[in-house]
Amino acid sequence: RQLRKHRPPSSVSRLPPQLAMAAARYRSSCGGARRLSPLLLRVCAAAVAALVAAAGVRRAPLSTAALHGRRAVVPTQRRQALLAAASGLILSPAVAHGIEQASALALLPGFTSTSSGLQYEIVKEGSGDLKPDKGRRVLVEYIGWLDGFDDKGVLFDSSNSFGFRAGVKQVIKAWDESVMDMRVGERRRIIVPPELGYGKKGAGDVIPPDATLYFDVVLKKILFPPQSSR
């Protein structure tokens, strides 16, 4: 009883009404077992408010724990709570998802965006004018990350020599689109939105649903003739 009497008030109770409501909803959705830092909520709410106003809400990164299947807080719940705190509204999942998808991938400096939503940066130019035809077999070197390039992301796959037939759906849509526009020796960095990657299903325990993927790809060879004609 003495401990209860002198226990400091809940962090949620010290928040402004709008933030307290969002925090309470968030704690309820997580089973009520998670405490929220007032400072974190205030900072995040201010940041998200500015991003929403500029139509630049970005996808919350997934933790390494979530990637490897360990129990973690669902990012969607966190995003909805922060969006609600910023706007003063408790957004429905559909509305929050729509806002996020509309501006999930802000164009990064140095990158070009295609009509499909794919972003790419040419790090090294290739040689010659030849590009892979549909069905032609190619060899590439690549590295793949979640959440960002290099140390900012989580490495999930890499290969020094991976072969496939371009343009015939043997790989994700983003790869077909990218490789068929590359020349031998060219190196690109590409940012793949979920609809051009593994979509809502993800890929096993490695790639979660609705994941944005980051690749560094080098086109090493274009093989002759196409495998389909052999």
Side-chain angles (χ1 to χ4, degrees):
R1 291 181 180 177
Q2 288 296 108
L3 288 176
R4 291 177 182 174
K5 181 178 179 181
H6 296 288
R7 185 176 61 185
S10 167
S11 60
V12 174
S13 66
R14 296 195 298 269
L15 295 173
Q18 293 176 346
L19 291 181
M21 181 171 62
R25 291 287 183 88
Y26 171 62
R27 292 186 64 190
S28 176
S29 68
C30 295
R34 188 166 182 90
R35 294 182 61 84
L36 299 177
S37 163
L39 177 60
L40 176 62
L41 270 178
R42 291 174 189 274
V43 171
C44 289
V48 173
L51 290 172
V52 169
V57 179
R58 296 197 62 189
R59 185 176 306 280
L62 294 177
S63 66
T64 302
L67 176 63
H68 291 289
R70 295 192 293 273
R71 186 171 182 82
V73 177
V74 180
T76 299
Q77 293 175 335
R78 181 165 61 249
R79 287 198 298 273
Q80 289 176 10
L82 293 178
L83 283 169
S87 63
L89 299 172
I90 300 301
L91 302 179
S92 68
V95 173
H97 182 72
I99 293 175
E100 179 185 337
Q101 290 298 316
S103 56
L105 291 176
L107 188 64
L108 297 183
F111 281 74
T112 300
S113 180
T114 69
S115 59
S116 67
L118 176 72
Q119 291 187 34
Y120 70 91
E121 177 187 33
I122 299 177
V123 179
K124 178 184 177 184
E125 294 285 354
S127 58
D129 296 323
L130 184 64
K131 297 180 180 180
D133 298 323
K134 183 176 181 179
R136 193 172 297 278
R137 188 167 177 79
V138 298
L139 288 179
V140 301
E141 178 181 345
Y142 73 91
I143 304 174
W145 299 271
L146 293 166
D147 301 336
F149 292 107
D150 302 317
D151 293 339
K152 295 181 180 179
V154 177
L155 177 69
F156 69 85
D157 196 13
S158 65
S159 175
N160 291 326
S161 184
F162 175 72
F164 65 95
R165 290 173 56 202
V168 294
K169 301 181 180 180
Q170 288 189 345
V171 292
I172 58 175
K173 295 178 182 179
W175 271 43
D176 276 337
E177 180 180 345
S178 297
V179 171
M180 292 185 69
D181 189 46
M182 295 173 68
R183 298 173 175 84
V184 175
E186 183 174 326
R187 177 187 172 194
R188 286 190 182 192
R189 290 202 151 190
I190 61 175
I191 303 175
V192 181
E195 59 271 21
L196 298 180
Y198 293 94
K200 297 184 178 298
K201 294 183 178 180
D205 296 330
V206 178
I207 299 176
D210 291 320
T212 298
L213 309 177
Y214 298 76
F215 287 100
D216 191 310
V217 182
V218 178
L219 179 58
K220 298 177 69 175
K221 291 182 181 180
I222 300 175
L223 303 179
F224 300 92
Q227 182 175 333
S228 59
S229 66
R230 291 181 180 178

